[in-house]
Amino acid sequence: MAPERAGFWTEIPQLTRAIARAMGVTFRNLLRRPITVRYPTVKRVYPDRFRGILALTYDGETGEENCIGCRLCEYICPPQVIKVEMLKAEKRNYAKTFTLELYSCEFCELCVQVCPTDAIIMLKSFDLATADRRELLLDKDRLHALGLQFEPSWATGNRLRDMQAPPKAAKAAAPAAAADRRAPEPAAEAAPPAPSSPDRRAPEASEGAPTANPE
Ligand code: SF4
Ligand code: SF4
């Protein structure tokens, strides 16, 4: 028998086992419900922290724009895709212009985290597919319109900062602990002066010693 034919016959058990395994997977999944959905007719329920496209918000009570044009989001954005111009006004400031190049966005959420007025948020949607990049250069009006169109994600700047802050009990205990650390050591006050030392003042903290952080 030629060596090639011998190789074929010796591999038959291996092939049979591979086919049986594959068919086993097929039969096991034959009666299962499909895990795919017919998007966009059917949409999945996204998790609360879904980080989708970005939007600007209005104040729910006054209807005013929440953005005060502070530019914090512009400074924090790693790929620098946000550009804001501030418009100063008597009572509060506004964003004169606000542009976001969504095609270069990393969806890192840093802009949302730093926003002091919850003006920029992420949405539970990624539904801006287009073949024209210019449509992904979002201006202020478009960002506001998106905010009204899609469901917002849970995260806002204030919520994220609250989440990252120490628990309330730890916050309350921190000033007391800091005050304790600043108080002079009772042992140092009570200690008798050394006979050879003419200076009876309590020793001062050395310049290089770490100071208590009141925060
Ligand atoms: S999500 Fe990140 S990359 Fe996108 S605009 Fe915000 S800070 Fe910039
Ligand atoms: S979106 Fe928020 S962080 Fe950005 S400019 Fe407006 S107020 Fe400032």
Side-chain angles (χ1 to χ4, degrees):
M1 190 181 294
E4 306 89 55
R5 285 181 71 81
F8 172 76
W9 290 113
T10 52
E11 281 175 8
I12 280 191
Q14 196 183 346
L15 283 170
T16 311
R17 275 198 302 275
I19 290 168
R21 242 190 343 260
M23 292 311 290
V25 172
T26 304
F27 286 125
R28 267 204 307 279
N29 287 287
L30 200 59
L31 300 177
R32 280 191 186 163
R33 290 181 60 194
I35 57 168
T36 50
V37 294
R38 291 185 176 272
Y39 184 85
T41 323
V42 181
K43 289 190 181 169
R44 290 189 189 286
V45 178
Y46 298 120
D48 279 345
R49 292 296 308 276
F50 188 86
R51 300 211 302 237
I53 50 184
L54 288 139
L56 290 174
T57 60
Y58 292 107
D59 186 309
E61 289 173 8
T62 63
E64 281 200 333
E65 297 167 6
N66 279 329
C67 180
I68 53 172
C70 67
R71 300 180 68 197
L72 282 177
C73 53
E74 179 180 327
Y75 293 131
I76 199 79
C77 178
Q80 303 191 336
V81 300
I82 298 178
K83 295 280 175 289
V84 187
E85 259 185 289
M86 183 195 274
L87 175 68
K88 295 202 177 214
E90 203 173 306
K91 288 190 182 161
R92 49 156 289 184
N93 299 329
Y94 295 88
K96 187 178 171 192
T97 60
F98 193 115
T99 55
L100 196 155
E101 298 163 58
L102 196 67
Y103 44 78
S104 297
C105 173
E106 295 171 356
F107 298 93
C108 64
E109 206 184 42
L110 284 175
C111 53
V112 177
Q113 284 187 33
V114 297
C115 181
T117 57
D118 297 345
I120 187 162
I121 55 165
M122 293 183 123
L123 304 170
K124 289 188 188 176
S125 175
F126 53 88
D127 217 347
L128 273 190
T130 173
D132 188 347
R133 281 166 67 91
R134 285 170 297 185
E135 287 182 25
L136 297 178
L137 174 60
L138 307 177
D139 62 9
K140 197 173 110 176
D141 291 342
R142 186 97 191 279
L143 285 162
H144 276 122
L146 287 170
L148 297 175
Q149 186 179 351
F150 295 107
E151 188 187 353
S153 166
W154 169 87
T156 61
N158 281 306
R159 278 183 176 160
L160 290 168
R161 284 189 297 277
D162 280 353
M163 199 178 75
Q164 290 163 5
K168 286 195 172 65
K171 257 189 198 168
D180 284 352
R181 284 201 299 277
R182 280 196 297 270
E185 292 281 332
E189 281 183 352
S196 58
S197 168
D199 187 1
R200 296 187 173 204
R201 288 172 302 171
E204 288 179 9
S206 69
E207 283 180 12
T211 53
N213 184 3
E215 290 291 316

